[in-house]
Amino acid sequence: MDRKSETTETDRVGVYYKAMAVTAVIAGFVAAVLVVGLTVNYIQGKVVEPSLTEQLAGLKLIVKEQPDNASVVEHMRQLDLELRRITFRRLDRTRRGSLGLLISLAIVFFSMKFAWNVAVKLPCPTGDAELPETQKKRALFARRSVTAAMLIASVWVIFIFVGEGVDYSEVLEDEGAQAGGSVVEGPKYPTDEEIKANWASFRGPGGLGIAVGEYLTEFDVKAGTGVLWKTAVPINGMSSPVVWGDRVFLTGADEQQRQVYCYDAAKGDMLWVGDMSNVPGRGDEEVEVMEDTGFAAPTAVTDGKHVCVIFANGDIGCFDYAGKRLWAKNLGVPDSIYGFSASLAMYQDRVIVQYDQGGSDENRSKLISMNISTGSIVWQFVRPVANSWPSPTVINIDGTDTILTCSDPYAIAYEAGSGKEIWRAECIEGDIASTPIYAGGFVFAIEPYSHIAAIRTDGTGDVTETHIAWKGEDEVPDVCSPISDGNVVITLTTEGVLICYSVADGGMLWEHEIDGFFNASPVIAGDKMYLIEGEGKMIVATFDDGYKEVAVSEIGEVCLASPAFVDGRIYIRSKENLYCIGE
Amino acid sequence: MKISSLGKIFCGVVLLCAVGAVFGAERFPPPEFDSGYQQPTMVNPGARSNVLEYVDVAVLVAVMSLTCFLVYKKRSRKGIFWLMLGSILYFGFWREGCICSIGAIGNVVLSVFDTNYAIPLAGLLFFVLPLVFTLFFGRAFCAAACPLGAIQDIVLLKPVALPVWLAGTLRLFAYAYLAIAVLMAATGSAFVICRYDPFIAIFRLGGNVNMVVVGGCMLLIAVFVGRPYCRFLCPYGVILRQLSRVSRKRVTITPDECIKCRLCEDACPFGAINRPTAEWAEGDYRVNKKRLGVNILLLPVLVVVFGFAGYLLSGGASRAHVTVRLADRIYAEESGEVDDTTDASVAFRGTGMTIAELYGNAAKVQKQFVFGSILAGALVGLAAGVKLIRSSIQWKRSEYEADRAGCFSCGRCFKYCPIENVRLKKLSEQC
Ligand code: SF4
């Protein structure tokens, strides 16, 4: 190669190198601009859109409250459209920008690669070829580094991961041992006949407030006639007694203590007191309740082997009949403005908790089904309802065991086994407290001071428009639950106004006002209804041919809890005592 | 402008690219009011036709065959470079990194352990064919057919030579990764290789933000360190390495006899050129023999120790399985550790399955994990032990040669050999 051609070759390489370098710089500049653009685009997505999203959320809330306000609705739609436009424009820019960036980076890279290939010089090894010492050193380093890596890995294993996780074989073994060691034996859950023969939950079988058998219509506390026994209750509570066989259970609580009382049904002796302190999972959150509700408003539930209780702070637990606490846990302090009051219900070997709290759009309300003997949750579902004060009831409707619930804004029926929703009716609003009943083919739900709604039960899904047969709007109660014999349904207001409707068509049959106030829900026994007046009276009357008073007996103490009726005996909880009325 | 400054600019841009690329996919919810707009019904994309799957297989075979031709017959780095580019475009950007032989490990393992899972034939072929090629021709798959290897290879600009000891130790990660990937697939927990494929977000031009960042970082490292994923992480590479050791053909740096000119000494950016060895003193041999004996005895100890470490890790590892995770959640809810529920726990409670059943299933999975983790740990122990043994062997080599296991058949070193240049008539024999 002569000098001239060598120079030409060098020039050619130089030009080629420069061209590549310049291309790389230009493409790099384009890439940088695109990065800036994409960053701005990104920031727009993080700053502008959230503020619009917030505005939109605010408008949605307003629209929820004022659905008929056309201008707000229109404004919301416009804003939604605008937000969508901005978002999709940005996403489009991001997509195109990313592609442009990728292409420009590829150009940068390839230009650099080619420039590098032109400029690269072949190696020029210096010094000696490898010496044995170098090889030995390399092998030594290799061994040491592998050893070091193994040591680091061991330390990592020991400190970070060992002992992580729950061993489920052990959990199952423990649970098996617990179940084996329990005093609870025999069939898993009571039969329908057993349930009907007892008063296992709030308002008795099916939550209907219907008693089986004959009961005294009159008694005299002062003279002692008709009063089988009277026993003091250590701590007050609004909860009602539940009765199974020879046991009566009550709950009581104040700010410090939560207790379960077990009484001998025959003599009234207190057999044991169950303590619900130190419940696992309970935090320090304060519990605020209204005085009228108290800390022990929910009624217990029993299946003849266990008694389950729940309190206003979300503590739920179960005792066996010997008074041994089998399990207890905290469901979280319920957000309830008056204090939690929903009683427990029972289905087979499960206890049902209607855990309503917060607003209807907060998704914090739940219906929970728990294994009665272990407390494990069988299922739980979020309910689209607000905090409420009625209790769930379990009843067989047309062959399906059904859980009925009422809370603002829905009356909802669930399959008791699976918890699957069967139907819902948006027919009640406000502070719902009356427990729903099923009678004559209808579920009766009460919106306080507004109406009682009769909902046909053969529907599925949202039955608001299709299955509300009638509404009664006369003197609607705010606390007490209704009663029905299948032909008539009777409501009782706190102020003592009784209204009797025909179940079939909602026609008002009669109306009667009693002097007094009522928190306890009435009970039907035979052809009579039993009302417990707040100042301490038991009023018995017939109802099929208008209101006809049969008898009035004085208890002489404030009585706010609904009574229990079993086997010819009436159990009435007063503020301080538990009475057993019978012969 | 100097190349080094160009390099800096490139790095900066790549870094910024990593930031830019994190603008991941977003969804906008449908309107919460009745606007009269009819929501289109959701449709699932139809399955890709079988024919196209076999086209992929045919392309794979064609690329690997062409690679062998270019490496062994033409000895053309340029050809391999363009072939790599083609693979990146076809298997990478066009096929979006799926199907891939590396990820197929998970499918193959699951099909072995789960009788209800059938791997598609194309998937099986993607797993098996590169292995067969490697047995005959070395790592032809890594050279140009693998889009993951190719994208790292073409961005390599300023290779930094890693010390041999460091590269060897870092390779242990690949064994650990293989062990984890097999364990997770065998237990039906996850296809970790696919889930953590660092380049998938680049091939798909978007995706999980973390993986975009990981992919960007990996590419940035690949600018300086040759094929970091292939060398230190790729679980498929672990298998290919072993098969390549016994392959029928292997890459030779020189087309003829090595004249030990040392020109290729630092040519390989992957540290895959072995140098001729020097003679050791007699005393050194004896010491080395003893050391070798000790390390051979240590091998079963390491296997047991690492197997035990695997056992200790099994509890934590089992949480990768959806059943154990669900059981953990339910357990936390039951024991009052948490107050809220999750979608999964609510859905579980809606199934009617009892908690005891769930715990029973979780216990079964945990047992599988105990067994699998012991084996996985033992594999890592074995790899570490063998590495110790290999570093205690005094290898004998008389010329520069490509490492059978580590050579990716990239063809870079060819042009450094003067004999090759004579063959190509770029140099005269006299030179
Ligand atoms: S062909 Fe093999 S030895 Fe040569 S540079 Fe490529 S990887 Fe290294």
Side-chain angles (χ1 to χ4, degrees):
Chain A
M1 212 182 277
D2 61 24
R3 212 187 181 89
K4 198 177 159 204
S5 64
E6 223 173 80
T7 319
T8 321
E9 177 64 14
T10 315
D11 287 351
R12 203 177 62 79
V13 166
V15 169
Y16 189 53
Y17 175 83
K18 261 189 197 153
M20 287 294 116
V22 169
T23 312
V25 171
I26 293 171
F29 180 73
V30 173
V33 169
L34 282 170
V35 166
V36 172
L38 281 169
T39 311
V40 170
N41 203 30
Y42 178 73
I43 292 168
Q44 185 198 7
K46 290 280 162 199
V47 177
V48 179
E49 285 167 39
S51 81
L52 287 179
T53 309
E54 227 169 77
Q55 276 184 42
L56 186 65
L59 277 174
K60 278 180 187 166
L61 284 179
I62 298 173
V63 167
K64 220 172 197 179
E65 280 163 19
Q66 309 166 22
D68 301 328
N69 189 335
S71 74
V72 181
V73 171
E74 188 51 35
H75 188 183
M76 181 187 78
R77 287 181 175 194
Q78 286 307 326
L79 191 64
D80 185 276
L81 186 65
E82 183 60 20
L83 186 55
R84 271 164 213 280
R85 277 201 186 122
I86 292 173
T87 305
F88 288 118
R89 238 181 268 145
R90 179 176 57 76
L91 288 179
D92 191 43
R93 277 199 296 265
T94 306
R95 252 190 310 273
R96 279 186 285 140
S98 303
L99 193 65
L101 184 61
L102 192 81
I103 293 169
S104 46
L105 282 175
I107 295 171
V108 171
F109 173 73
F110 280 110
S111 322
M112 283 166 59
K113 188 133 185 143
F114 287 125
W116 171 261
N117 280 350
V118 170
V120 76
K121 290 190 178 67
L122 281 174
C124 180
T126 51
D128 293 328
E130 207 162 65
L131 298 169
E133 288 316 310
T134 322
Q135 288 177 2
K136 277 189 269 173
K137 215 185 250 172
R138 193 187 295 146
L140 178 70
F141 273 18
R143 285 191 299 273
R144 283 187 181 165
S145 63
V146 170
T147 312
M150 287 190 291
L151 287 176
I152 292 168
S154 314
V155 172
W156 178 70
V157 168
I158 290 165
F159 284 102
I160 302 192
F161 273 110
V162 173
E164 272 232 348
V166 180
D167 184 337
Y168 289 101
S169 310
E170 275 177 23
V171 171
L172 286 171
E173 268 171 34
D174 289 352
E175 283 189 358
Q178 267 181 26
S182 167
V183 292
V184 179
E185 282 161 12
K188 271 174 88 182
Y189 51 85
T191 60
D192 287 350
E193 285 65 38
E194 285 175 306
I195 289 172
K196 279 181 190 145
N198 290 286
W199 199 267
S201 56
F202 179 61
R203 305 202 71 217
L208 298 172
I210 297 180
V212 182
E214 294 281 315
Y215 296 87
L216 279 186
T217 53
E218 259 187 291
F219 59 90
D220 187 339
V221 171
K222 279 190 190 136
T225 48
V227 179
L228 289 176
W229 50 261
K230 171 186 164 188
T231 303
V233 180
I235 305 177
N236 185 30
M238 304 296 161
S239 61
S240 302
V242 292
V243 187
W244 193 285
D246 58 354
R247 308 289 177 103
V248 184
F249 300 98
L250 267 188
T251 62
D254 53 25
E255 257 166 289
Q256 280 79 40
Q257 306 174 76
R258 288 158 294 283
Q259 294 180 335
V260 192
Y261 309 114
C262 174
Y263 299 93
D264 176 0
K267 296 186 198 132
D269 299 338
M270 187 184 280
L271 300 176
W272 50 261
V273 177
D275 182 42
M276 279 289 285
S277 55
N278 300 324
V279 169
R282 169 91 178 94
D284 321 318
E285 206 180 324
E286 281 215 5
V287 186
E288 283 176 21
V289 296
M290 237 177 64
E291 206 186 327
D292 284 355
T293 312
F295 292 91
T299 299
V301 72
T302 179
D303 65 350
K305 296 186 181 78
H306 312 87
V307 58
C308 278
V309 291
I310 189 166
F311 295 92
N313 65 352
D315 281 353
I316 180 167
C318 181
F319 295 79
D320 65 14
Y321 269 32
K324 182 180 152 204
R325 191 166 102 181
L326 299 177
W327 57 266
K329 59 167 93 173
N330 185 271
L331 298 177
V333 174
D335 175 8
S336 177
I337 51 172
Y338 303 130
F340 183 75
S341 73
S343 304
L344 298 172
M346 183 176 64
Y347 173 68
Q348 294 185 343
D349 58 344
R350 301 169 188 178
V351 56
I352 309 294
V353 192
Q354 182 178 336
Y355 213 58
D356 291 345
Q357 54 179 325
S360 58
D361 54 354
E362 289 178 34
N363 285 336
R364 292 164 66 200
S365 299
K366 285 180 210 166
L367 188 68
I368 308 169
S369 171
M370 298 166 130
N371 185 297
I372 203 165
S373 50
T374 63
S376 61
I377 294 178
V378 181
W379 48 253
Q380 61 176 334
F381 295 106
V382 171
R383 284 159 48 76
V385 298
N387 56 172
S388 70
W389 297 269
S391 304
T393 61
V394 178
I395 191 157
N396 190 288
I397 299 179
D398 303 329
T400 304
D401 290 323
T402 306
I403 301 169
L404 297 175
T405 63
C406 273
S407 311
D408 176 11
Y410 296 112
I412 308 182
Y414 300 89
E415 272 179 24
S418 65
K420 209 177 119 205
E421 186 177 311
I422 304 170
W423 54 258
R424 63 166 78 177
E426 191 173 353
C427 58
I428 41 176
E429 273 182 12
D431 299 339
I432 312 298
S434 304
T435 295
I437 59 164
Y438 169 70
F442 299 100
V443 166
F444 293 97
I446 291 179
E447 176 178 322
Y449 312 115
S450 172
H451 59 258
I452 175 168
I455 308 160
R456 283 205 315 276
T457 55
D458 55 349
T460 51
D462 190 337
V463 299
T464 312
E465 301 297 329
T466 53
H467 283 69
I468 298 179
W470 55 264
K471 283 183 181 176
E473 295 176 347
D474 311 277
E475 298 292 340
V476 182
D478 62 335
V479 175
C480 301
S481 308
I483 42 170
S484 172
D485 65 351
N487 299 315
V488 298
V489 58
I490 300 168
T491 60
L492 169 65
T493 67
T494 308
E495 295 76 23
V497 180
L498 284 159
I499 305 282
C500 180
Y501 298 97
S502 156
V503 163
D505 57 12
M508 192 175 70
L509 301 175
W510 53 259
E511 172 179 13
H512 180 81
E513 188 164 356
I514 305 170
D515 192 21
F517 84 94
F518 294 83
N519 263 19
S521 297
V523 173
I524 290 178
D527 60 350
K528 301 179 190 74
M529 61 179 171
Y530 288 69
L531 316 175
I532 305 291
E533 195 274 327
E535 291 297 340
K537 273 187 264 178
M538 185 178 88
I539 302 160
V540 183
T542 55
F543 55 88
D544 59 352
D545 188 20
Y547 178 87
K548 289 205 178 78
E549 196 171 280
V550 175
V552 177
S553 309
E554 287 286 340
I555 302 165
E557 274 190 78
V558 169
C559 292
L560 302 173
S562 301
F565 285 64
V566 189
D567 203 16
R569 295 171 177 202
I570 306 169
Y571 298 88
I572 300 171
R573 179 183 199 165
S574 69
K575 198 165 179 194
E576 315 242 302
N577 297 295
L578 178 63
Y579 292 86
C580 177
I581 310 296
E583 285 178 307
Chain B
M1 189 184 293
K2 291 265 162 51
I3 287 291
S4 57
S5 44
L6 263 176
K8 279 175 200 159
I9 290 176
F10 178 72
C11 302
V13 175
V14 170
L15 243 179
L16 285 171
C17 161
V19 177
V22 297
F23 310 144
E26 284 177 58
R27 300 276 179 274
F28 203 97
E32 286 173 36
F33 52 81
D34 187 12
S35 62
Y37 173 73
Q38 287 292 315
Q39 287 288 338
T41 46
M42 192 132 86
V43 283
N44 291 321
R48 199 162 180 267
S49 103
N50 280 351
V51 178
L52 290 176
E53 279 181 16
Y54 295 117
V55 169
D56 292 342
V57 175
V59 174
L60 177 72
V61 173
V63 172
M64 288 195 295
S65 308
L66 204 53
T67 306
C68 295
F69 174 73
L70 289 169
V71 171
Y72 294 111
K73 210 79 204 142
K74 300 295 280 182
R75 294 174 61 82
S76 164
R77 164 67 190 167
K78 235 182 224 166
I80 292 164
F81 180 83
W82 290 113
L83 207 52
M84 278 195 296
L85 214 60
S87 287
I88 292 173
L89 293 177
Y90 184 82
F91 291 117
F93 288 100
W94 172 248
R95 296 292 297 112
E96 296 186 337
C98 192
I99 186 174
C100 110
S101 304
I102 309 171
I105 294 176
N107 305 71
V108 170
V109 170
L110 184 63
S111 67
V112 170
F113 285 89
D114 183 351
T115 45
N116 296 320
Y117 178 79
I119 182 172
L121 181 62
L124 187 65
L125 289 174
F126 257 77
F127 178 75
V128 172
L129 286 173
L131 303 182
V132 175
F133 263 82
T134 306
L135 266 180
F136 286 92
F137 305 106
R139 300 173 72 171
F141 170 73
C142 302
C146 174
L148 279 71
I151 197 168
Q152 295 170 81
D153 197 301
I154 65 164
V155 298
L156 178 61
L157 207 66
K158 205 130 173 46
V160 175
L162 289 188
V164 178
W165 58 268
L166 179 61
T169 308
L170 288 177
R171 225 166 11 243
L172 284 175
F173 279 114
Y175 289 89
Y177 194 19
L178 174 66
I180 292 167
V182 170
L183 174 66
M184 293 299 163
T187 52
S189 304
F191 286 166
V192 281
I193 300 172
C194 299
R195 188 180 290 178
Y196 301 110
D197 179 340
F199 304 111
I200 205 85
I202 292 165
F203 291 142
R204 294 180 184 179
L205 296 179
N208 177 296
V209 172
N210 293 340
M211 290 320 294
V212 172
V213 172
V214 169
C217 292
M218 192 65 89
L219 274 193
L220 186 60
I221 296 170
V223 173
F224 306 102
V225 178
R227 294 190 177 219
Y229 182 80
C230 303
R231 288 159 73 196
F232 310 129
L233 279 173
C234 181
Y236 197 57
V238 167
I239 307 170
L240 295 181
R241 276 181 74 84
Q242 314 318 322
L243 296 182
S244 187
R245 287 183 203 281
V246 292
S247 68
R248 270 189 71 173
K249 273 184 102 58
R250 67 186 176 104
V251 167
T252 51
I253 302 164
T254 171
D256 208 329
E257 205 177 314
C258 175
I259 53 168
K260 290 186 233 169
C261 65
R262 298 178 56 203
L263 288 174
C264 67
E265 206 168 65
D266 300 315
C268 181
F270 314 117
I273 292 179
N274 292 325
R275 299 168 185 208
T277 51
E279 276 299 314
W280 288 17
E282 191 52 39
D284 289 344
Y285 273 125
R286 275 199 300 274
V287 174
N288 215 46
K289 261 187 198 161
K290 259 191 208 157
R291 187 181 299 123
L292 180 62
V294 171
N295 282 335
I296 289 173
L297 290 176
L298 202 62
L299 181 70
V301 178
L302 284 177
V303 169
V304 170
V305 168
F306 273 74
F308 182 65
Y311 166 74
L312 295 178
L313 287 175
S314 64
S318 67
R319 298 171 106 179
H321 196 282
V322 65
T323 307
V324 178
R325 270 205 310 276
L326 181 61
D328 281 352
R329 177 69 212 183
I330 298 293
Y331 184 82
E333 286 176 17
E334 291 295 298
S335 57
E337 275 171 43
V338 291
D339 294 336
D340 55 346
T341 55
T342 61
D343 288 348
S345 67
V346 171
F348 162 73
R349 294 179 196 286
T351 60
M353 184 196 262
T354 64
I355 290 177
E357 275 177 277
L358 174 68
Y359 287 174
N361 292 344
K364 259 186 231 155
V365 174
Q366 284 182 327
K367 264 193 203 125
Q368 290 170 356
F369 263 92
V370 169
F371 182 66
S373 301
I374 290 173
L375 287 185
L379 174 76
V380 178
L382 182 70
V386 169
K387 207 154 270 296
L388 281 180
I389 291 172
R390 287 179 62 80
S391 60
S392 308
I393 294 174
Q394 207 257 321
W395 302 95
K396 289 201 170 160
R397 266 183 305 269
S398 56
E399 55 184 43
Y400 285 91
E401 56 186 46
D403 184 77
R404 272 180 166 267
C407 173
F408 292 116
S409 310
C410 75
R412 273 192 182 82
C413 52
F414 297 163
K415 72 172 179 208
Y416 288 83
C417 179
I419 314 273
E420 172 74 0
N421 282 305
V422 168
R423 183 183 78 86
L424 295 173
K425 302 204 170 55
K426 286 186 180 169
L427 275 179
S428 68
E429 265 178 71
Q430 286 74 20
C431 291

